[in-house]
Amino acid sequence: MKQKPSLLIIGNSNVGKSSITRLLMPNPRKFKGKIGKTPGSTLLIKPITQSALPYNIVDLPGFGYISQSSRRRGEHIKKQIVVHLEKHYEDYFFGLIIINILRIEDEIKKYFIQNKRTIPLSFELIQFLSEFKIPLLILFNKIDKISNLDKEKIITLFIQSIKEYGLNLVNLNDFNNEKKSEIPYLEFSALKKINLSKLKQIIQEYLN
Ligand SMILES: Nc1nc2c(ncn2[C@@H]2O[C@H](COP(=O)(O)OP(=O)(O)O)[C@@H](O)[C@H]2O)c(=O)[nH]1
Ligand SMILES: [Mg+2]
């Protein structure tokens, strides 16, 4: 039997990867959400699969260093992500980069505005992934937690800042598939299921 194509879901700890995975599952009760957890310094890459789901889901940590883990461990995990994707990128039909919208301002202030020589880790992650042939969608998750005004402000700051790295982000609604340099983004809430049908629709389009 031919192996199912894989959907990549990548992002730092606590951004909502497991919640989003659950929303895509035909039988969410069978999915406990512990699969993506990486306990030691060895990256656990285990596809989440359900017979009623036409693709596998692979959940990977982002480049962020979660508080209880050391920077060195972060570097080690990053290397394993690089090795995995260099070897397996052809298995992926689509990739979701999950970003917690509540964390963007701090990250950009710390790494971009105060210190021009460092690159924000989420920019680095997007830049790194854009070098593979995997079509990407950036999800700004947890928009239920902020006002519309703040949401617009933060997304604008993100798009303007990441432009300096040659990355051109556009709203999925304005996304033109022909323009290879554009990366679409979607405002999202796993909690309130905001834009869930849009997400499912675009995944389906790339699957076909
Ligand atoms: N308010 C809000 N909370 C969310 C959303 N998505 C996830 N969460 C919460 O954020 C926490 C981490 O989510 P989880 O899916 O485990 O993130 P993961 O570590 O990336 O897999 C959980 O408490 C979720 O309930 C969202 O869109 N809005
Ligand atoms: Mg998780």
Side-chain angles (χ1 to χ4, degrees):
M1 205 183 87
K2 204 177 169 288
Q3 232 217 320
K4 288 178 186 175
S6 295
L7 173 71
L8 174 67
I9 298 188
I10 190 164
N12 291 343
S13 195
N14 268 313
V15 295
K17 296 182 299 297
S18 298
S19 308
I20 292 165
T21 300
R22 209 170 285 116
L23 292 175
L24 298 173
M25 298 256 111
N27 299 305
R29 267 175 295 168
K30 286 188 186 164
F31 170 62
K32 292 180 184 65
K34 297 280 177 214
I35 298 155
K37 289 270 184 297
T38 300
S41 57
T42 303
L43 182 62
L44 196 67
I45 299 169
K46 196 174 175 204
I48 300 153
T49 179
Q50 282 193 347
S51 52
L53 188 70
Y55 51 87
N56 297 329
I57 297 178
V58 174
D59 163 338
L60 294 181
F63 289 173
Y65 313 115
I66 37 180
S67 51
Q68 72 267 34
S69 73
S70 69
R71 199 186 160 85
R72 225 175 110 189
R73 181 179 162 239
E75 284 297 324
H76 187 63
I77 288 185
K78 184 167 145 186
K79 264 189 211 134
Q80 293 174 79
I81 295 173
V82 172
V83 169
H84 171 75
L85 286 177
E86 282 174 348
K87 202 166 159 195
H88 296 286
Y89 69 92
E90 283 176 322
D91 300 344
Y92 293 104
F93 69 97
F94 199 45
L96 303 177
I97 303 172
I98 319 298
I99 290 172
N100 179 352
I101 195 155
L102 304 167
R103 303 290 302 275
I104 291 176
E105 274 188 306
D106 276 353
E107 194 193 6
I108 291 180
K109 277 194 193 119
K110 195 166 151 200
Y111 290 97
F112 185 74
I113 295 168
Q114 289 170 12
N115 186 353
K116 281 273 177 191
R117 278 172 306 182
T118 59
I119 173 169
L121 289 170
S122 51
F123 292 6
E124 191 185 347
L125 181 66
I126 295 169
Q127 193 171 51
F128 165 72
L129 287 169
S130 69
E131 282 160 17
F132 295 93
K133 278 184 227 129
I134 310 168
L136 298 173
L137 175 67
I138 293 161
L139 287 188
F140 292 118
N141 193 31
K142 307 200 184 186
I143 60 162
D144 58 279
K145 284 200 154 182
I146 53 171
S147 69
N148 267 325
L149 204 66
D150 283 343
K151 183 189 73 187
E152 300 301 331
K153 197 182 80 189
I154 293 169
I155 292 177
T156 302
L157 173 69
F158 193 89
I159 293 172
Q160 291 304 327
S161 310
I162 203 170
K163 264 204 184 109
E164 294 207 13
Y165 295 93
L167 295 163
N168 191 8
L169 265 53
V170 295
N171 193 308
L172 181 63
N173 299 323
D174 308 318
F175 175 59
N176 179 351
N177 222 335
E178 312 287 280
K179 290 196 188 152
K180 294 290 173 214
S181 65
E182 290 184 346
I183 303 175
Y185 70 84
L186 186 63
E187 300 166 3
F188 199 79
S189 165
L191 184 77
K192 297 272 168 76
K193 300 185 184 175
I194 298 171
N195 281 331
L196 177 60
S197 58
K198 262 195 194 147
L199 175 63
K200 286 184 171 172
Q201 189 192 331
I202 190 168
I203 291 173
Q204 199 55 46
E205 279 170 25
Y206 280 96
L207 192 59
N208 293 337

